[in-house]
């Protein structure tokens, strides 16, 4: 009581969800804002639909997720205006921090003794099933089989439960000399500024921050059609979207080869990358939208 809290801001807190009814009962004026990131995760799960009446606002990080939640409310027969409490606020990044002049070019390549003409194809993420790091390794193998017109190096930055298996897969293909696995990076700009293409191979996402960061640094992105990536990535404009079909690997390979073999095409994708990153994805816009909600609730 002494804290005099007006708003509780939460995001998929499984333990906290259990105490929401008691909190609402004890603190009559307490407003709760719940941030939702992914379908079928945390507060978006059907078994947690009992939470809906307790939430004063639910922030969805994409229009795709907001529509998904509104449809779920309707399917559950929750027609008491709860869908009106859903709103979209994109996650924002510091666009000044992520720009192609925010980190000196060549530093990452120099660290790993790579020639200037080597093209980096990068993966940044958790080595886990939803990120599908094995697909990235398989794409690399097939790209190399196609004798690309330039020298390639494949960078897989991050950590996670599938890291050891990914390394074993790389070894099994005999591709150790073509890969660099630097682990967790404290400075992703250093890698991105030297990256030619960023690949997102995930099968479950919202809108990954890494995609925003790559685009902000003029790096085209080739991504699976997953989550709400289509709200930020425009096929053939700032990268490519790959539908999740049986030949998904082959489609990735073709798009990467297209960009490697056509300098004019690549320049166009790269020039459009940052320009296509709307101010909707900036930190000030994100902060302003949250402030608006807080002001309305108080």
């Amino acid at each position: 009581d002494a804290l005099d809290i007006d708003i509780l801001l939460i995001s998929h807190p499984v333990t906290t969800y259990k105490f929401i009814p008691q909190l609402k009962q004890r603190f009559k004026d307490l407003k709760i804002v719940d941030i939702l990131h992914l379908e079928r995760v945390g507060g978006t799960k059907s078994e947690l639909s009992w939470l809906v009446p307790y939430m004063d606002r639910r922030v969805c990080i994409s229009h795709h997720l907001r529509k998904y939640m509104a449809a779920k409310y309707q399917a559950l027969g929750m027609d008491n205006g709860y869908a009106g409490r859903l709103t979209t606020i994109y996650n924002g990044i510091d666009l000044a921090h992520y720009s192609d002049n925010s980190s000196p070019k060549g530093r990452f390549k120099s660290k790993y003794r790579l020639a200037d003409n080597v093209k980096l194809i990068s993966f940044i993420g958790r080595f886990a099933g939803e990120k599908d790091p094995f697909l990235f390794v398989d794409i690399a193998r097939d790209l190399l089989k196609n004798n690309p017109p330039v020298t390639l190096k494949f960078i897989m930055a991050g950590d996670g439960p599938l890291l050891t298996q990914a390394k074993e897969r790389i070894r099994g293909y005999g591709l150790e000399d073509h890969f660099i696995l630097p682990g967790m990076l404290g400075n992703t700009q250093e890698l991105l500024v030297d990256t030619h293409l960023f690949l997102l191979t995930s099968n479950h996402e919202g809108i990954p921050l890494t995609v925003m960061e790559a685009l902000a640094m003029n790096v085209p992105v080739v991504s699976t059609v997953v989550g709400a990536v289509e709200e930020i990535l425009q096929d053939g404009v700032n990268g490519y979207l790959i539908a999740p079909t049986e030949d998904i690997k082959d489609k990735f390979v073709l798009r990467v080869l297209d960009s490697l073999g056509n300098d004019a095409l690549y320049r166009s994708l790269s020039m459009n990358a940052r320009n296509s990153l709307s101010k909707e994805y900036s930190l000030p816009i994100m902060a302003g939208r949250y402030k608006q909600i807080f002001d309305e609730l108080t």
Side-chain angles (χ1 to χ4, degrees), residues 70-169:
K72 173 166 280 194
Y73 286 5
Q74 185 175 18
L76 293 170
M78 293 183 168
D79 299 323
N80 299 321
Y82 295 129
R85 300 182 186 180
L86 295 169
T87 189
T88 301
I89 301 179
Y90 289 119
N91 287 331
I93 64 171
D94 185 343
L95 293 176
H97 190 61
Y98 288 95
S99 65
D100 58 5
N101 59 7
S102 64
S103 182
K105 291 182 184 293
R107 185 173 290 174
F108 186 89
K109 286 184 177 180
S110 177
K111 186 180 295 184
Y112 291 94
R113 299 180 180 178
L114 302 175
D116 289 343
N117 64 336
V118 173
K119 304 293 186 187
L120 305 187
I121 310 295
S122 296
F123 167 105
I124 302 174
R126 188 166 179 264
F127 283 73
E130 68 273 11
K131 303 293 185 181
D132 205 348
F134 301 148
L135 176 57
F136 183 88
V137 177
D138 290 349
I139 291 167
R141 179 191 61 174
D142 283 17
L143 277 169
L144 293 169
K145 282 182 178 179
N146 277 274
N147 297 314
V150 294
T151 303
L152 300 178
K153 206 72 156 183
F154 299 92
I155 316 299
M156 298 188 76
D159 200 352
L162 297 183
L163 176 59
T164 298
Q165 290 173 258
K167 289 179 177 179
E168 290 171 353
R169 199 180 192 96

Side-chain angles (χ1 to χ4, degrees), residues 60-65 88-98 206-216 226-234 238 272-290:
C60 302
I61 58 93
S62 69
H63 292 302
H64 170 85
L65 184 58
T88 301
I89 301 179
Y90 289 119
N91 287 331
I93 64 171
D94 185 343
L95 293 176
H97 190 61
Y98 288 95
I207 299 181
L209 289 175
T210 50
V211 170
M212 299 183 202
E213 292 163 1
L215 292 175
V226 61
V229 170
E230 289 175 287
E231 291 181 33
I232 189 172
L233 197 63
Q234 300 164 272
N238 54 0
N272 290 333
R274 185 176 175 88
N275 291 336
S276 67
L277 195 64
S278 161
K279 290 181 180 178
E280 293 282 328
Y281 298 95
S282 72
L283 282 178
I285 293 294
M286 180 184 74
R289 297 260 163 87
Y290 275 102

Side-chain angles (χ1 to χ4, degrees), residues 25 68 71 84 110 123 144 161 171 187 214 224 243 254 262:
Q25 185 175 18
Y68 170 87
S110 177
F123 167 105
L144 293 169
R171 270 196 305 272
N187 179 358
T224 46
L254 285 174
N262 187 330

Side-chain angles (χ1 to χ4, degrees), residues 2-22:
L3 292 177
D4 193 27
I5 296 173
D6 295 309
I7 296 173
L8 177 63
L9 181 66
I10 57 178
S11 181
H12 296 298
V14 177
T15 301
T16 303
Y17 281 150
K18 299 174 184 177
F19 298 98
I20 293 297
Q22 294 97 308

Side-chain angles (χ1 to χ4, degrees), residues 13 18 22 29 43 55 118 136 147 159 190 200 202 207 213 221 241 252-253 266 276 278 293:
K18 299 174 184 177
Q22 294 97 308
D29 296 325
M55 299 300 170
V118 173
F136 183 88
N147 297 314
D159 200 352
E190 188 175 273
L200 184 83
S202 302
I207 299 181
E213 292 163 1
V221 176
L241 291 161
F252 263 100
V253 170
Y266 179 81
S276 67
S278 161
I293 289 176

